[in-house]
Amino acid sequence: MATARRRIRRFTRTERAVHWVHAAAFLVLLATGLALYLPSLSEFLGRRPLLKSIHVYTAVAWIVALVFVVAVGDRASLRATLREIDLFDRDDREWLKRRHPPQGRLNAGQKVNAILTAVFALLFAVSGVLLWYGERNTRFRFAQTILIHDWLTYVSFFLFVGHLYLSVIHPRTRHSLTGITRGWVYEDWAREHHAKWAALARSEGADGP
Amino acid sequence: MSSNDADARPYGRRAFLGLLAAGLTSFAWAGPASRIFAPVTSQFSQLLGDLLPVGGWRIYTISGSMPLFDPATWRLEITGLVRKPRTLTYADLLALPRASQISTFHCVTGWTVKDVHWAGVRFGDLLALAEPLPAARAIRFVSMEEPYTDSLTLRQATLPDAMLAYELDGKPLTRAHGSPARVVIPEMYGYKGVKWLTRMELVASQPTGYWEGLGYDQNAWVGRSNGYG
């Protein structure tokens, strides 16, 4: 291998902060949620009131942390990311048909994942607040709330497993983890997986397109 | 970004808003949909046992750990407005006339378990042992899980399918389900079904139970209380 593999910047600090706030909250909420939900775990762990408090206050901390990151972070980079996720060009649409045209900084699957994550976050928050308030006030109590919260969990669990597989295990894609931890990826990897973006991006230190 | 820029479509926002709308409107359609898919989901649930309890039980507790039943030391007291206060052992309880039934369990939070096989003792048989005084109007049930209590009027407790259950689906109650004995009243939401029962106190009027103190209805009729129906 050559001595200096060139790196290019993929995610800003603000983008990474948004990702990790989400990831950390999701893991704690999933773990405590499963302990509240699965009879075998509930029985084994006990301490339901404590787990319930951790679950609820983690959700509050998650929302507060997101607001904080947006308030103090690089909002221009977030706006650019939103625009990028919004737009699906012809190559993106081809990608979704399981062909492999060159992709931008985010491939079409990553855009879909980001959209689903945002939708799920909002629906989790709405149904969660209703569960929390519904325990105190019958006006917020609907028979379907818990069902919806459950189904969001089932579906997001499989999305999470897929996301984890691609980012940590799958040999060809797992280098992308560096992008979200340290912000940069190797240029040769980017050229293979995100050719349109790699062609535009300059070497490390410069922002993406 | 590339020569395809002109061809870029704002599908992301539309997908986001569309999915969000589908999710929010599911408060209207999730109920009917889950009933349609119930045959599928309940098979799925049986397949995975309690690992993925789709439509199955959830275990709610209010304290740090579940009470532990010891057959040697557990007692069921029947006290209060009675002629003959009684203290039953587990063996005494099992020796009483056995009743069994299949009923549906409804939780006030929205989940339901169908075809639950219960076995236990009718309250009429328990009360006959202690002989309630004429002033007695209700039973206050006290759990080993403090401070959980709830109550039923004598009329509610002697409904044909109300019982003090000690078996669930053919097996002695497990710790999670309130061993050794719990109150079962299928017409009411599950919070009336005090688990880990240790005392029945005959009283002149219904006291406020644990969940009633947090705003839930005293008469927890399924579909007709707690903001439903």
Side-chain angles (χ1 to χ4, degrees):
Chain A
M1 187 193 299
T3 45
R5 253 174 115 186
R6 278 155 59 90
R7 301 164 171 185
I8 50 179
R9 169 83 77 87
R10 190 169 185 212
F11 293 114
T12 63
R13 205 180 284 266
T14 304
E15 287 173 302
R16 283 180 276 152
V18 168
H19 176 273
W20 289 112
V21 163
H22 243 79
F26 183 81
L27 284 176
V28 176
L29 290 166
L30 181 67
T32 50
L34 285 176
L36 294 172
Y37 174 64
L38 295 172
S40 47
L41 271 181
S42 305
E43 188 173 359
F44 176 70
L45 293 170
R47 307 194 68 81
R48 185 178 185 85
L50 174 70
L51 290 166
K52 198 166 150 185
S53 297
I54 296 175
H55 192 77
V56 168
Y57 289 105
T58 301
V60 173
W62 161 60
I63 292 166
V64 170
L66 281 181
V67 169
F68 177 78
V69 170
V70 172
V72 305
D74 175 4
R75 280 191 294 280
S77 89
L78 291 180
R79 272 195 297 274
T81 308
L82 283 181
R83 222 167 18 246
E84 197 180 336
I85 292 169
D86 184 27
L87 294 176
F88 281 69
D89 65 14
R90 188 186 295 143
D91 290 336
D92 288 329
R93 299 198 291 272
E94 289 294 307
W95 192 97
L96 290 176
K97 293 174 195 158
R98 305 193 64 87
R99 298 188 189 108
H100 294 94
Q103 294 288 290
R105 184 180 69 139
L106 300 173
N107 69 35
Q110 288 160 342
K111 292 181 183 181
V112 169
N113 184 52
I115 293 163
L116 287 175
T117 304
V119 171
F120 274 63
L122 273 165
L123 294 175
F124 265 127
V126 169
S127 56
V129 164
L130 288 174
L131 284 176
W132 194 20
Y133 267 71
E135 209 169 76
R136 286 157 190 78
N137 189 331
T138 53
R139 272 187 306 159
F140 295 103
R141 200 174 299 156
F142 306 99
Q144 321 308 344
T145 315
I146 202 163
L147 194 71
I148 292 165
H149 209 73
D150 289 353
W151 276 97
L152 291 171
T153 308
Y154 305 146
V155 178
S156 62
F157 178 77
F158 288 106
L159 281 175
F160 169 66
V161 169
H163 183 62
L164 213 57
Y165 171 74
L166 289 171
S167 59
V168 180
I169 296 170
H170 189 60
R172 281 167 50 79
T173 56
R174 68 185 177 201
H175 172 61
S176 61
L177 185 63
T178 321
I180 206 70
T181 53
R182 286 185 277 182
W184 54 263
V185 290
Y186 287 122
E187 194 185 15
D188 53 335
W189 181 87
R191 249 183 278 133
E192 187 186 336
H193 292 270
H194 301 273
K196 285 194 292 187
W197 169 62
L200 287 174
R202 295 189 300 273
S203 55
E204 198 206 351
D207 271 336
Chain B
M1 185 178 280
S2 76
S3 56
N4 282 331
D5 263 6
D7 198 37
R9 307 262 169 80
Y11 287 159
R13 191 169 314 181
R14 282 180 219 168
F16 172 79
L17 293 173
L19 287 166
L20 191 62
L24 291 174
T25 56
S26 72
F27 283 92
W29 56 258
S34 79
R35 280 190 284 282
I36 292 165
F37 291 115
V40 184
T41 49
S42 65
Q43 275 181 4
F44 190 47
S45 132
Q46 278 184 348
L47 201 70
L48 295 175
D50 82 348
L51 199 66
L52 195 65
V54 184
W57 295 99
R58 309 161 192 228
I59 306 302
Y60 293 164
T61 55
I62 58 156
S63 63
S65 71
M66 288 181 200
L68 197 56
F69 160 56
D70 176 357
T73 57
W74 179 81
R75 295 290 181 273
L76 175 62
E77 290 178 74
I78 309 175
T79 62
L81 301 173
V82 293
R83 229 166 248 124
K84 298 178 184 163
R86 302 294 291 253
T87 302
L88 307 183
T89 65
Y90 186 51
D92 294 338
L93 182 68
L94 298 185
L96 289 171
R98 177 190 164 92
S100 60
Q101 69 189 45
I102 302 171
S103 51
T104 301
F105 185 96
H106 295 275
C107 177
V108 70
T109 63
W111 54 270
T112 290
V113 186
K114 288 191 183 129
D115 300 330
V116 185
H117 293 241
W118 298 108
V121 181
R122 297 290 174 208
F123 287 108
D125 291 322
L126 283 163
L127 294 174
L129 295 174
E131 298 178 20
L133 295 169
R137 287 280 177 279
I139 313 173
R140 175 172 181 258
F141 298 99
V142 180
S143 173
M144 288 192 277
E145 185 191 31
E146 291 172 351
Y148 202 112
T149 65
D150 212 310
S151 65
L152 295 173
T153 64
L154 288 181
R155 187 189 292 242
Q156 292 163 355
T158 50
L159 283 170
D161 54 357
M163 64 157 61
L164 181 63
Y166 52 67
E167 268 183 34
L168 168 59
D169 293 334
K171 280 170 265 171
L173 281 188
T174 58
R175 188 180 183 193
H177 283 287
S179 61
R182 68 167 297 168
V183 177
V184 170
I185 175 162
E187 285 89 340
M188 290 196 177
Y189 290 116
Y191 66 88
K192 299 297 283 189
V194 174
K195 303 206 280 191
W196 304 289
L197 189 70
T198 188
R199 194 160 84 240
M200 292 167 50
E201 205 178 305
L202 278 284
V203 289
S205 67
Q206 270 187 292
T208 301
Y210 178 82
W211 286 110
E212 286 86 2
L214 294 167
Y216 286 76
D217 291 349
Q218 180 68 271
N219 292 313
W221 303 111
V222 171
R224 291 183 281 135
S225 64
N226 294 294
Y228 295 125

